[in-house]
Amino acid sequence: MADRVHPMPAPPPPSSSPPPGHDAAAATETTPLHPSFRGAPPPSPGTYIIQIPKDQVLRVPPPDRARRYKKLAARPARRRRLRHACCGAFCGVLLLLLLAAAFVGVVYLVFRPLAPSFSVASLSIRGLDALAVSSLTPQIDAAVRADNGANKKTGIDYRGGGEVTVSYSGERLAAGPWPAFHQAPRNVTVFSTALAGGGVSLTEEQRKQLAADQAAGAVPLAVDAIVPVRLRFGKVLRTWTVDVKARCEVTVNKLAAAPANRGCMVKVRPLWWWW
């Protein structure tokens, strides 16, 4: 025999309002909310400093300053162009100097130029009287020997405008021109030139010294020459014109005789100056 099952009554629906007395218990049993669910607290009053990275700052000048901003912004570009131009010019000049130095070095190694030597072959002096009271007008005929024998490949062009002077005890007696001519390598040239002076006044001490030197047969004189010279390398290559200075110390026993050369000193600028 089967069991009889009686239906159970349905449970009552939940009420939306809690039973009386339940609010106080629920308030005491509610779990506090997580901080993330809470709203941000209101900022306290005061001054704040906000730091923003420079690469995130949008630099936009105001309209009234836009033109000035463009001018100021273009300055660095002009300065860079000026610096580049100056550096390029400096490098170009340095390169030219290096090339010139290399060229002069090659020319020197190939031709081996040397300074010419000079000497006084003869002197003939007239009008130099130690006993004369008035001013003197000396006349001197000088023969000068120019020797280029030391140069095997270098010729010398003596240009016009040179001058030869003769002096005694620092007093200039006479002066004359140095002739223009070309001197080939390994060549020796002797030329004559007439020197003239006027209004030469010797002091009393110089007159006495000149009379003593003439009596002793040893009159010291100085022969100076300033000559415009240009070197010639081969048939095409030539240098600029440069002044060469020479000074010869001579002694004559008579006023018309071959002098005794005590040595000539030649001053020549270095080769790089000739270019």
Side-chain angles (χ1 to χ4, degrees):
M1 188 174 63
D3 293 335
R4 182 179 295 179
V5 178
H6 298 278
M8 295 293 293
S15 176
S16 59
S17 59
H22 185 71
D23 293 338
T28 58
E29 295 178 0
T30 301
T31 304
L33 296 176
H34 193 270
S36 60
F37 292 97
R38 296 180 180 178
S44 59
T47 302
Y48 296 88
I49 299 176
I50 302 176
Q51 296 183 354
I52 303 176
K54 292 183 178 180
D55 56 349
Q56 297 183 7
V57 177
L58 181 62
R59 300 180 182 274
V60 179
D64 57 337
R65 298 294 182 89
R67 183 177 301 177
R68 180 174 178 80
Y69 172 76
K70 290 181 179 180
K71 291 182 179 180
L72 295 177
R75 285 185 179 179
R78 290 198 299 268
R79 291 178 180 174
R80 285 194 298 269
R81 288 196 296 267
L82 182 60
R83 285 197 298 266
H84 292 167
C86 292
C87 291
F90 176 77
C91 293
V93 172
L94 183 60
L95 179 60
L96 290 178
L97 291 178
L98 292 177
L99 293 177
F103 175 75
V104 173
V106 171
V107 170
Y108 177 79
L109 292 177
V110 172
F111 293 94
R112 299 285 183 174
L114 297 174
S117 60
F118 304 101
S119 61
V120 180
S122 65
L123 283 176
S124 178
I125 306 174
R126 300 180 303 276
L128 187 61
D129 187 1
L131 301 178
V133 179
S134 61
S135 60
L136 305 176
T137 57
Q139 302 293 324
I140 302 176
D141 293 329
V144 181
R145 184 176 184 268
D147 188 354
N148 192 34
N151 287 310
K152 300 178 180 180
K153 301 180 181 180
T154 305
I156 300 177
D157 291 332
Y158 294 96
R159 315 286 287 177
E163 185 183 43
V164 182
T165 61
V166 176
S167 59
Y168 170 78
S169 186
E171 184 69 28
R172 181 170 174 172
L173 301 179
W178 181 292
F181 62 93
H182 170 71
Q183 192 171 34
R186 298 185 177 224
N187 176 264
V188 178
T189 302
V190 179
F191 64 90
S192 298
T193 180
L195 314 180
V200 179
S201 298
L202 299 178
T203 63
E204 185 65 25
E205 182 180 355
Q206 290 175 338
R207 291 177 185 275
K208 292 180 179 180
Q209 184 63 39
L210 178 59
D213 293 337
Q214 289 178 351
V219 180
L221 299 174
V223 181
D224 296 284
I226 301 178
V227 190
V229 171
R230 185 174 64 180
L231 299 182
R232 180 183 295 185
F233 303 106
K235 296 182 179 180
V236 179
L237 188 59
R238 293 179 176 86
T239 63
W240 298 108
T241 300
V242 178
D243 288 341
V244 173
K245 299 180 180 180
R247 182 180 181 87
C248 298
E249 301 287 345
V250 299
T251 301
V252 294
N253 54 1
K254 297 180 181 180
L255 297 183
N261 288 273
R262 292 183 296 172
C264 294
M265 181 179 59
V266 180
K267 292 184 179 180
V268 182
R269 295 183 183 275
L271 182 61
W272 57 266
W273 186 273
W274 296 65
W275 302 96

